[in-house]
Amino acid sequence: MQRALDFDKTPALGVPLPFFLNVPAFGLLAGLLATWAGPQAFSSRWTAQALALTHLWTLGILGSAMLGALIQILAVACNVPVTPARAVARTVHALLTLGTLSLAAGFLWWAPWAWTSAVILLGLTFGLYLAALGRALWAHRTQVYKGAREILVPVRGALLALALAVAMGLVMAAALSLGLALPEWVGGHVLWGLLGWGGLLLMGMSFQLLPIFQLTELYPKPLTRWLPLLIPGLLLAWTALDATAGLPRLMLETVELLLAGAYVTWIAASLHRLATRKRPTAEPTTLFWFAGLISLLACAPAWVWLRHGQAAQAAMVLGVLLIVGGLGAIVHGMLYKIVPFLLWKHAQDAMVIPSRDPGQARVYLKVLPKMAAYIPERPARLHWALYVLMVSSWTLAAAGWTPAGQAAGPLLLACAALLAWNLGGALRLYRRTLRAMAALPHHAAAARSSADPR
């Protein structure tokens, strides 16, 4: 595995940043909806409010962050740049934002125009994104960095899963817009979207990011080699069994059990690496990783409860643990690592240091903040604590406890507002730094032009 990242291949700041800023924006929208709906949003996964909340999370919060991060990681870790990065990113970001809002409106108002808009906008979103990444992967297949296979194999599987999940979702949304009967694809849509796209991408990122940023040991080679191949195979087997009538239910449950076992193996390996990391103190990103992995681990007993219990809320609890507690926590934690680094990196790139004036570097360093200054540890830790409390309230609300359902929305609002404040503070510091650098003598005009993040 490649232990280093080639940060010279980092895309322009305007490529991933708008996707990352969608996370608190859609968090605020989801928080407002959950506050307005209250416990009713958790009474069943089929209520309009629950469906709208689910897609605000999966597309607006998780989807935005994952689409932006993947463009970044393919360039710096694999030498697979997406081109033209700015045009693709801007178009995909705009379409995804509008499409997610249309889809949520469709669930809330059950309006044909909203479903139609969502199908068109989201179809264009993911069609363009998948085409751009597929083209990049093919065009740069011979220039991929040695050791990047551990990332590319799960990424390819994740993109395949995303294509299948999106196709199923678009067909179902189109059926709703036309008033037709829904195809029985909900289970496949959920599995390919969460365990395929979300799970495989997260797994691939962990193989690279935990050893580098958390100073952990490398994952075992058999795990990195076979799990990203086994999981898509199991998902295909599940889809085939689910579509075949007359087979014993035990066959489908066996495949589900193997899927759970594959992910539990990865989670256990990840927790072990985090627990034995060489970095002595647990930074906020580490804490979010722990919270997310523990939530994902708790999905295993929730699945047993769903399959063999009589509780109507089991599916709700499983969904909350997977989306809000697992994927959501890790995505939020990675923002506290990625965003400060990108701002620090692009501020450094704004320096203009002629070879004839090496002392200019010392002048710049006096106004360049350290990476840790962009988001101080204390507010990031506060956000982690608040996020854990929010996940607990959503889980209890999903289990049917009414007071937790009343607190779930306000707690998400508080989490999203704090994240927006922390990210906003980092951006304000970045822009103050650019202005201070531009005001330095001799190189003001050059610094301004090279620091433009757009």
Side-chain angles (χ1 to χ4, degrees):
M1 191 206 77
Q2 181 168 307
R3 275 266 196 183
L5 302 177
D6 186 357
F7 294 117
D8 290 337
K9 297 295 196 318
T10 300
L13 184 58
V15 172
L17 188 60
F19 289 99
F20 298 154
L21 296 181
N22 264 14
V23 175
F26 276 99
L28 289 170
L29 284 175
L32 287 171
L33 176 56
T35 301
W36 169 73
Q40 183 181 356
F42 302 93
S43 60
S44 167
R45 62 174 173 156
W46 304 115
T47 65
Q49 297 91 338
L51 290 168
L53 280 172
T54 297
H55 290 84
L56 287 175
W57 268 100
T58 55
L59 291 175
I61 298 175
L62 302 180
S64 294
M66 292 160 68
L67 294 183
L70 186 53
I71 294 176
Q72 176 81 22
I73 201 70
L74 281 178
V76 301
C78 305
N79 194 29
V80 180
V82 174
T83 55
R86 293 189 187 191
V88 169
R90 287 175 178 175
T91 307
V92 168
H93 173 262
L95 291 171
L96 176 67
T97 302
L98 294 174
T100 303
L101 293 174
S102 297
L103 189 62
F107 284 122
L108 290 173
W109 299 320
W110 226 254
W113 65 265
W115 294 118
T116 303
S117 298
V119 169
I120 295 171
L121 291 167
L122 293 175
L124 291 172
T125 297
F126 291 105
L128 174 59
Y129 187 84
L130 289 167
L133 265 66
R135 177 178 176 272
L137 287 166
W138 177 256
H140 298 278
R141 66 191 184 281
T142 59
Q143 289 87 39
V144 169
Y145 290 138
K146 184 180 179 181
R149 181 186 181 278
E150 285 81 357
I151 304 173
L152 286 178
V153 171
V155 162
R156 291 188 187 110
L159 290 174
L160 170 64
L162 175 63
L164 291 173
V166 167
M168 292 179 189
L170 291 177
V171 170
M172 289 189 287
L176 289 171
S177 70
L178 297 172
L180 303 176
L182 278 178
E184 297 183 1
W185 291 351
V186 174
H189 175 64
V190 172
L191 234 65
W192 282 103
L194 296 180
L195 297 187
W197 160 240
L200 280 171
L201 185 60
L202 187 61
M203 182 182 293
M205 296 304 101
S206 72
F207 294 160
Q208 180 77 38
L209 299 181
L210 288 190
I212 290 177
F213 290 120
Q214 299 299 319
L215 299 182
T216 71
E217 294 296 328
L218 296 177
Y219 283 81
K221 282 192 175 295
L223 188 146
T224 61
R225 180 177 180 84
W226 295 111
L227 272 190
L229 297 174
L230 175 63
I231 288 170
L234 290 171
L235 287 170
L236 287 170
W238 186 95
T239 305
L241 290 170
D242 186 59
T244 305
L247 294 177
R249 183 68 183 175
L250 180 61
M251 294 177 66
L252 194 65
E253 292 185 1
T254 300
V255 173
E256 291 178 355
L257 184 62
L258 291 173
L259 264 173
Y263 273 109
V264 166
T265 300
W266 166 71
I267 293 166
S270 300
L271 285 171
H272 178 263
R273 269 141 191 80
L274 284 173
T276 58
R277 67 192 183 280
K278 297 174 184 176
R279 190 181 297 277
T281 57
E283 58 184 7
T285 299
T286 314
L287 296 174
F288 273 105
W289 267 100
F290 272 120
L293 290 170
I294 290 170
S295 293
L296 290 175
L297 195 61
C299 291
W303 173 78
V304 175
W305 180 23
L306 173 65
R307 282 303 183 205
H308 302 287
Q310 300 300 319
Q313 298 302 111
M316 290 288 294
V317 171
L318 181 59
V320 166
L321 287 172
L322 184 54
I323 297 170
V324 182
L327 298 174
I330 294 172
V331 161
H332 281 77
M334 289 309 300
L335 289 182
Y336 282 111
K337 180 63 70 174
I338 295 173
V339 172
F341 174 79
L342 289 178
L343 297 178
W344 173 80
K345 169 72 167 57
H346 284 282
Q348 279 200 328
D349 290 345
M351 295 190 300
V352 180
I353 307 171
S355 58
R356 67 180 182 275
D357 187 13
Q360 186 72 18
R362 293 191 293 273
V363 177
Y364 277 120
L365 290 175
K366 290 180 180 179
V367 299
L368 275 174
K370 295 180 179 179
M371 189 171 68
Y374 282 95
I375 302 180
E377 187 164 311
R378 185 174 180 181
R381 282 179 174 268
L382 176 61
H383 183 213
W384 165 77
L386 190 59
Y387 195 92
V388 170
L389 182 61
M390 184 271 295
V391 172
S392 301
S393 74
W394 278 61
T395 305
L396 291 171
W401 192 37
T402 300
Q406 294 168 340
L411 283 172
L412 178 55
L413 275 174
C415 278
L418 183 53
L419 177 61
W421 176 261
N422 290 342
L423 295 181
L427 287 171
R428 290 191 294 271
L429 177 58
Y430 173 71
R431 296 201 175 275
R432 286 199 304 270
T433 301
L434 293 187
R435 289 195 295 268
M437 291 170 62
L440 293 174
H442 307 306
H443 308 293
R448 284 193 204 99
S449 63
S450 65
D452 186 3
R454 292 173 297 172

